[in-house]
Amino acid sequence: MMRNKCVGGGNLVTTSCSEKERLALVKFKHSVEDVNGMLSSWGIGNDCCRWERVGCDIVTGRVVSLHLRANSSDEDYMAGEDDWPDGHASLVNIFDRYQLVGTEVNSCLADLENLKHLDLSGNDFQFNQIPRFIVSLKQLRYLNLSNARFHGNIPHHIGNLSNLKVLDLSSWSYLKIDNMAWISDLSKLEHLDLSGVDLSRTQNLDNLLYAIPSLLKLSLSRCGFSLAHLVSHHLNSSKELVSINHLDISANNFRGQLPSFVLNMTSLVSLDLSYNHFSMAWSFKRFINMMSSLLELRLSGCKLQRINLSPHNLNYSIHSNIQHLDLSLNEIDGKFPYVLTNMSSLLSLDLYANSLSSSIPVIPNLLKLDISRNKFQQIEDVRIWEQCYLKELIVSNNELVG
């Protein structure tokens, strides 16, 4: 008789999980402090496929997924700046709901030989190293160890997980990589997030741009590396850039010219350059025209006042498909950047925390506009809200009268 759906994975299984795998999960449960009962169903009955957060193969009953992400809110991740130890964000009291706490990830999970999906993100492993036994889980397609308070070097042996499609090791600067040579062995990888990992002394860093042809999404925010470090001077010019769709290199304090490899990424759909200080000698118009594939561009906190966004650019010909543009937290003051009115593809525009004070022109097709924390004073300056197509207008922290 066909079994009911198992609680954790939502699969119809025709056999119970093996005794070996059941015992492995029970042992793992006993190896951690289970804050608020994330694993409260583990141990109830003999069929681990019925336990919450456990997914099993439909036919064999083998455990194929563990969804052990801590249930916590993003806004709790960082304490105040004065509380940061050694310049790193404090993670004290951030997980007020489900979380696992342990000194290590118990190696009993190695008995789950068919595991394809492992998510331990947001838990607290108390600054221990990423366990090496994980590389024995050869079937893994998805591995998420983000913000789990691991510490030290990311083991090169992760390169042995050749079936990985998603790898998320993002953290709050507790992890580092000394050599990126192993990444080229992950030939099926599509999504890589190393945000917050210390890459300042990483060798072969340019492998991220050239060695994984399947890579579609790359996040390198807050990694502390330089552009010269990322793009090797000895790089063979015949190598082709990977076909990345989403690239995040925000908050690395880059300086100088906009990197040429970005302009050569013709498949980019989303680009985040926020909180860097590129030389503003480059032309905003030229940049936008060259990035014709972009749908989302984030330039928050880039000190863009020096970019020529002045009214005489009104007749600029801009060939853009950008739908979402973030220019928040810059130094754009005075008159509204009229060059933006030629971007008819824009659906969302974020100008939060600038110093704009002039009237806002019509921006065709715009659905969302954030002009909060600017210097608008007259209600007439923001009359764009009367246009019926604008679905959301945010004007807080201005001194509007009239």
Side-chain angles (χ1 to χ4, degrees):
M1 182 174 67
M2 187 70 71
R3 293 182 177 275
N4 294 326
K5 287 186 178 181
C6 63
V7 177
N11 296 324
L12 286 169
V13 294
T14 58
T15 182
S16 301
C17 72
S18 71
E19 180 68 3
K20 179 182 178 181
E21 293 187 334
R22 186 187 71 82
L23 290 175
L25 293 178
V26 171
K27 187 174 181 179
F28 176 79
K29 176 182 179 178
H30 291 156
S31 72
V32 295
E33 177 186 354
D34 184 8
V35 180
N36 292 331
M38 180 194 295
L39 308 180
S40 59
S41 67
W42 289 27
I44 299 177
N46 291 323
D47 189 357
C48 63
C49 291
R50 297 180 179 273
W51 297 349
E52 292 182 1
R53 298 173 179 259
V54 177
C56 293
D57 183 86
I58 295 175
V59 177
T60 66
R62 297 294 185 183
V63 175
V64 293
S65 63
L66 291 181
H67 303 267
L68 303 180
R69 179 192 299 266
N71 185 8
S72 61
S73 54
D74 293 340
E75 60 267 23
D76 292 333
Y77 264 62
M78 292 190 297
E81 186 174 356
D82 293 338
D83 298 324
W84 294 9
D86 301 322
H88 299 320
S90 173
L91 296 183
V92 177
N93 297 324
I94 61 172
F95 299 112
D96 54 356
R97 288 176 279 178
Y98 295 126
Q99 187 195 24
L100 304 177
V101 179
T103 57
E104 64 177 359
V105 181
N106 197 293
S107 60
C108 61
L109 293 184
D111 289 338
L112 307 178
E113 298 174 355
N114 296 278
L115 201 63
K116 296 180 180 180
H117 182 114
L118 177 59
D119 188 346
L120 295 172
S121 60
N123 293 296
D124 182 1
F125 292 103
Q126 302 185 339
F127 301 103
N128 280 276
Q129 292 189 330
I130 293 174
R132 290 184 177 269
F133 80 82
I134 284 181
V135 304
S136 67
L137 301 173
K138 301 294 187 180
Q139 302 302 315
L140 277 180
R141 309 290 195 272
Y142 177 101
L143 177 60
N144 191 340
L145 304 179
S146 63
N147 298 313
R149 297 186 86 183
F150 288 111
H151 183 268
N153 270 309
I154 293 173
H156 300 174
H157 297 88
I158 286 182
N160 293 334
L161 299 175
S162 58
N163 287 307
L164 276 180
K165 291 188 175 182
V166 175
L167 176 60
D168 190 342
L169 300 174
S170 56
S171 74
W172 290 105
S173 302
Y174 302 125
L175 291 170
K176 60 183 178 180
I177 297 176
D178 56 11
N179 196 314
M180 196 60 75
W182 55 269
I183 202 71
S184 60
D185 294 325
L186 302 181
S187 59
K188 298 179 182 178
L189 199 63
E190 296 177 0
H191 178 178
L192 175 62
D193 193 340
L194 297 176
S195 297
V197 175
D198 184 357
L199 301 180
S200 61
R201 295 177 177 84
T202 306
Q203 298 180 32
N204 296 305
L205 193 62
D206 53 291
N207 276 5
L208 292 171
L209 298 179
Y210 295 89
I212 322 172
S214 58
L215 193 62
L216 299 176
K217 185 173 183 179
L218 176 62
S219 298
L220 300 174
S221 179
R222 303 175 287 105
C223 289
F225 60 91
S226 69
L227 287 173
H229 193 194
L230 180 61
V231 184
S232 170
H233 293 297
H234 305 291
L235 190 64
N236 187 336
S237 60
S238 65
K239 289 186 177 180
E240 293 186 5
L241 285 163
V242 293
S243 299
I244 293 175
N245 292 332
H246 294 75
L247 177 65
D248 181 355
I249 52 174
S250 62
N252 284 294
N253 199 27
F254 295 148
R255 297 180 182 276
Q257 295 292 324
L258 188 71
S260 59
F261 74 84
V262 172
L263 296 175
N264 291 331
M265 287 185 165
T266 56
S267 299
L268 274 181
V269 173
S270 175
L271 175 62
D272 193 340
L273 299 173
S274 300
Y275 306 105
N276 289 299
H277 300 151
F278 295 113
S279 168
M280 294 313 159
W282 56 279
S283 162
F284 183 74
K285 170 202 169 186
R286 177 175 175 271
F287 171 69
I288 295 298
N289 284 344
M290 290 186 69
M291 304 297 292
S292 59
S293 62
L294 274 185
L295 299 180
E296 179 180 18
L297 175 62
R298 297 188 178 278
L299 295 170
S300 180
C302 287
K303 298 185 177 180
L304 294 186
Q305 175 57 26
R306 297 175 188 173
I307 288 185
N308 199 348
L309 295 173
S310 58
H312 78 262
N313 291 326
L314 182 60
N315 294 322
Y316 267 177
S317 174
I318 292 186
H319 306 289
S320 168
N321 292 309
I322 293 177
Q323 298 177 1
H324 308 283
L325 177 62
D326 184 354
L327 298 175
S328 62
L329 291 161
N330 281 290
E331 300 173 358
I332 306 171
D333 60 6
K335 291 186 176 297
F336 188 87
Y338 280 83
V339 65
L340 303 179
T341 64
N342 282 338
M343 298 176 65
S344 59
S345 58
L346 272 184
L347 301 178
S348 172
L349 175 61
D350 191 345
L351 290 166
Y352 165 82
N354 283 286
S355 299
L356 296 168
S357 58
S358 70
S359 60
I360 301 174
V362 173
I363 303 177
N365 304 316
L366 197 66
L367 298 177
K368 179 180 179 180
L369 175 63
D370 188 343
I371 53 171
S372 54
R373 272 194 63 186
N374 277 273
K375 296 183 177 180
F376 295 104
Q377 295 182 347
Q378 300 297 321
I379 193 67
E380 292 296 330
D381 291 337
V382 295
R383 282 294 183 184
I384 192 171
W385 64 269
E386 293 182 342
Q387 299 179 54
C388 61
Y389 56 78
L390 193 63
K391 303 298 183 183
E392 184 175 0
L393 174 65
I394 306 173
V395 296
S396 57
N397 292 308
N398 284 281
E399 299 179 1
L400 296 174
V401 296

